[in-house]
Amino acid sequence: EIFKNKIADLLTGFGLIEVSNYNITSKNELNDNLDYVELISSNEEYNVLRNSLIQSLLKTLSNNKHNEFPQNIFEMGYIFRKGKSETGILEEDKLGVALCHSKADFTSVKQIIDSLFENLGLNYTIENAENNIFIPGRVGKIIVKGKEIAYIGEVNPSVLNKFGIETPVSAFELDLKELFATTNDIDIVSRYIIREVQSIYYPTGDNINDKHIELIVRQMFSRIRVLEPGDTDLLSGDVLEKRRLIEEN
């Protein structure tokens, strides 16, 4: 959550507004090229779980067409797809960003990625890609440390038409779990906590050495909660020292 708060603070600082949408949606608001999870529901219209944040952001933009532009928004939340798990459903933690104004293009949304990654101390490359959400030739996949973590591009007019949007939209959808894994996570979060704590005490004239806060942060991150035990003897939900986790793996 601290890492996600850091991301939210950065994007808000870039002038974006955070939005929140429901996980349950209708089939015509899904990414047609991805698997989706259908629910048993008495509501025939809203009976599937969303499989893309970009579609959720487009719905938000569609509902706010009467407001003035630019409308630059982001959302952090889960998407769902079929996969190997106890429930047969995989949850993926994502970040979606959408810029909607007359000059929204690949360059403008790439500037958000540039600023975000610079603040996280990450380098990335963009490779050509195909994705039905975006205009062919105006889409790419973002690679960090050899891992594909996002798609970025200009949203295809045919997709915008489904939502009744006439203003250009550029967007990206990023895997937060993969992003977190590629960062020096403890270092980034530590700096964030130190800065936030110092911002509280500095105006009062109290001088706290960063090393004292670093010691507390180190203790905070000395234990880990198990989410996926895999082939180990651990159980989902177990809390243990990092050292033991390394031994188990």
Side-chain angles (χ1 to χ4, degrees):
E1 286 299 321
I2 293 175
F3 182 71
K4 293 172 74 171
N5 289 339
K6 166 72 172 176
I7 299 293
D9 285 349
L10 288 170
L11 293 174
T12 302
F14 301 157
L16 278 71
I17 296 174
E18 185 170 12
V19 300
S20 180
N21 289 283
Y22 293 115
N23 291 329
I24 298 176
T25 186
S26 62
K27 289 183 180 179
N28 64 347
E29 294 169 0
L30 294 174
N31 184 334
D32 299 333
N33 278 16
L34 298 177
D35 286 337
Y36 62 87
V37 177
E38 190 165 1
L39 305 174
I40 300 175
S41 172
S42 58
N43 190 322
E44 294 183 359
E45 181 178 3
Y46 295 95
N47 61 353
V48 294
L49 294 174
R50 63 181 179 178
N51 60 0
S52 168
L53 284 192
I54 291 180
Q55 264 77 3
S56 292
L57 293 173
L58 292 177
K59 182 178 180 180
T60 298
L61 293 172
S62 177
N63 292 337
N64 287 274
K65 290 184 294 184
H66 58 283
N67 292 321
E68 64 181 63
F69 297 92
Q71 294 182 27
N72 301 326
I73 59 177
F74 74 94
E75 179 174 3
M76 285 185 282
Y78 288 98
I79 66 167
F80 304 85
R81 61 184 178 86
K82 297 176 183 177
K84 293 183 179 179
S85 70
E86 293 181 2
T87 62
I89 300 173
L90 297 178
E91 300 180 6
E92 297 179 353
D93 204 1
K94 299 282 188 171
L95 163 66
V97 166
L99 309 182
C100 183
H101 53 83
S102 61
K103 296 183 179 179
D105 59 9
F106 190 94
T107 300
S108 59
V109 74
K110 180 179 177 296
Q111 288 172 345
I112 301 296
I113 286 283
D114 288 341
S115 299
L116 179 62
F117 280 30
E118 181 180 357
N119 278 274
L120 295 177
L122 292 173
N123 296 316
Y124 75 94
T125 58
I126 295 181
E127 297 181 1
N128 293 330
E130 293 183 3
N131 187 299
N132 68 312
I133 292 179
F134 302 105
I135 299 173
R138 305 297 296 168
V139 54
K141 54 185 178 182
I142 293 175
I143 310 295
V144 178
K145 297 181 180 179
K147 291 185 177 182
E148 178 184 312
I149 68 168
Y151 278 93
I152 181 173
E154 299 175 12
V155 178
N156 199 309
S158 63
V159 176
L160 297 180
N161 288 339
K162 288 175 59 176
F163 293 86
I165 299 173
E166 299 177 354
T167 307
V169 176
S170 56
F172 68 78
E173 185 167 311
L174 181 152
D175 190 312
L176 283 170
K177 182 179 179 180
E178 291 295 343
L179 179 65
F180 187 61
T182 59
T183 62
N184 186 353
D185 50 346
I186 299 301
D187 188 40
I188 289 174
V189 174
S190 294
R191 291 200 305 270
Y192 176 70
I193 294 176
I194 290 169
R195 186 173 67 251
E196 292 298 303
V197 171
Q198 292 290 26
S199 70
I200 295 173
Y201 286 98
Y202 183 77
T204 67
D206 294 323
N207 184 20
I208 300 178
N209 193 296
D210 286 353
K211 291 189 178 297
H212 296 310
I213 306 174
E214 288 174 3
L215 181 61
I216 296 172
V217 172
R218 196 174 300 117
Q219 288 296 111
M220 288 171 57
F221 289 100
S222 64
R223 299 174 72 82
I224 293 176
R225 183 182 300 276
V226 177
L227 297 180
E228 298 178 6
D231 296 328
T232 68
D233 294 328
L234 302 173
L235 298 176
S236 180
D238 281 352
V239 177
L240 64 155
E241 295 286 340
K242 274 188 176 181
R243 172 179 49 77
R244 189 188 164 195
L245 183 65
I246 293 173
E247 291 173 353
E248 289 285 346
N249 286 323

